[in-house]
Amino acid sequence: MENFLCGGVSAACAICIVNPIDVVKSRLQMQGEMGAGQRAYNGVFSGLMHIGQKEGLKGLYRGLVPAIWFQMVGNSARFGVYNVGKQWMGVEKGSKNNSSVNFLLGLTAGAVAGMIACPFFVLKTQLQVQTTVQENVVGHQHQHSGMLDAMKTIAREEGIRGFFRGLDAFVPRCIALVAFQMTSYDLAKTQMIERGADDSPITHMTASAFAAACACIAMQPFDLIGARMMNQPFSKDGNPLYKGPVDCLTKLVRTEGPFALYKGGLANYMRMGPQYILTFMFFEQFIKLTKRGETE
């Protein structure tokens, strides 16, 4: 149980710090959609400055509530399923690190996390992209007043399926993310400790940075396609902009080029790097605290 709880709380703490970069990432992914619209942001740092100047702190923290819920639900599932699975498979026994078993457990944990956390990612994406400042507009603007209003609007316009739009791209995103993130973190951490490093925050930080890079490269195209599908306008005539991941991929590459699949990639790493460093460090410390409490 502590793996589920510590994983969710750790990630929620981390997103409260890096949410501004996540907002920039979401908007960079929508910029130039289908070859149309203005170029409002030139990069991560200019995006942070531009949003901060024009929209203030409120703009940088758009979508924070569903982002916290997404991190709580998704990371509780992936940390819980992954670590409980490791214990069940006996991976923790001895000092050897079994990367193949870890990778398979990561695939499972990612699939579970993606299916149950998808509604919160939909809400987060739509709220982060929208803005009242015209020169900052990119992608479709949903104009929700908040998380509850977004939930009501989605339920009214599309029903329950509206909360799972883009699921067929989002689950592969989560599978790639968790499989590469968790496996590479365990691999890097184990290798450093076997070579004499202490099981310390510095080791956790280094392994987290390596894991974030592996995860970002693996999941970025799925992340972009999923975000585009989640933020597309509500379809009143049964003819959505994107009919599925393959249709989205085809239209994106045709109108924006193949490199567009990595739009927002740097922002994603700049968000994921600090977030995973903080998440894994919080997780390791929370686990130590729970184990210390059990022995006292």
Side-chain angles (χ1 to χ4, degrees):
M1 179 59 72
E2 67 268 15
N3 287 304
F4 288 89
L5 181 60
C6 292
V9 173
S10 300
C13 291
I15 196 61
C16 290
I17 299 171
V18 300
N19 192 77
I21 302 176
D22 199 30
V23 171
V24 174
K25 185 270 295 186
S26 295
R27 295 192 185 184
L28 285 171
Q29 288 183 330
M30 301 301 157
Q31 184 165 260
E33 185 173 16
M34 298 293 287
Q38 62 180 345
R39 183 181 178 83
Y41 311 102
N42 294 318
V44 183
F45 295 109
S46 66
L48 288 169
M49 293 289 292
H50 198 63
I51 295 172
Q53 290 173 352
K54 300 296 182 179
E55 301 177 49
L57 199 60
K58 180 181 178 181
L60 291 170
Y61 276 88
R62 288 188 183 277
L64 179 62
V65 176
I68 290 174
W69 276 104
F70 169 68
Q71 296 296 336
M72 282 287 292
V73 173
N75 284 283
S76 291
R78 67 187 175 102
F79 272 94
V81 171
Y82 182 77
N83 286 289
V84 170
K86 281 175 64 178
Q87 294 170 12
W88 185 71
M89 296 290 289
V91 176
E92 299 269 56
K93 297 176 182 176
S95 59
K96 296 281 186 180
N97 184 61
N98 194 325
S99 294
S100 59
V101 173
N102 289 349
F103 189 78
L104 291 173
L105 288 170
L107 294 177
T108 305
V112 173
M115 287 187 285
I116 65 175
C118 184
F120 298 107
F121 200 88
V122 172
L123 294 166
K124 176 188 80 75
T125 301
Q126 293 186 7
L127 287 168
Q128 286 181 338
V129 172
Q130 70 178 35
T131 176
T132 56
V133 179
Q134 189 58 38
E135 64 185 274
N136 286 2
V137 170
V138 290
H140 180 72
Q141 300 290 295
H142 283 278
Q143 303 301 331
H144 303 306
S145 62
M147 178 173 163
L148 291 178
D149 180 60
M151 292 173 67
K152 292 176 183 176
T153 302
I154 293 172
R156 183 178 64 249
E157 296 290 338
E158 296 187 319
I160 190 67
R161 67 183 179 88
F163 293 99
F164 291 92
R165 52 160 58 190
L167 181 67
D168 39 2
F170 186 66
V171 169
R173 170 210 183 267
C174 292
I175 289 174
L177 167 67
V178 179
F180 281 89
Q181 175 203 24
M182 304 298 277
T183 306
S184 57
Y185 176 80
D186 273 341
L187 178 63
K189 177 183 163 186
T190 301
Q191 290 295 316
M192 285 189 289
I193 291 173
E194 287 181 351
R195 284 165 172 74
D198 295 326
D199 189 5
S200 65
I202 296 298
T203 299
H204 304 157
M205 185 183 301
T206 306
S208 298
F210 175 70
C214 294
C216 188
I217 293 170
M219 69 91 170
Q220 175 62 26
F222 300 109
D223 188 67
L224 176 65
I225 292 170
R228 289 278 181 95
M229 292 179 67
M230 290 173 178
N231 193 62
Q232 66 179 318
F234 295 121
S235 175
K236 297 183 182 298
D237 58 0
N239 188 31
L241 177 61
Y242 305 116
K243 296 180 176 64
V246 175
D247 182 52
C248 181
L249 172 65
T250 303
K251 289 178 177 177
L252 190 153
V253 172
R254 186 174 64 242
T255 58
E256 302 171 55
F259 292 110
L261 288 169
Y262 278 85
K263 274 188 177 181
L266 178 59
N268 223 354
Y269 180 72
M270 291 180 67
R271 189 264 304 176
M272 289 170 62
Q275 181 179 343
Y276 291 161
I277 289 171
L278 291 166
T279 297
F280 279 114
M281 288 179 66
F282 283 139
F283 179 76
E284 297 280 4
Q285 300 311 309
F286 286 152
I287 286 293
K288 287 181 180 179
L289 285 173
T290 59
K291 289 181 178 179
R292 185 183 304 167
E294 289 174 358
T295 58
E296 291 179 355

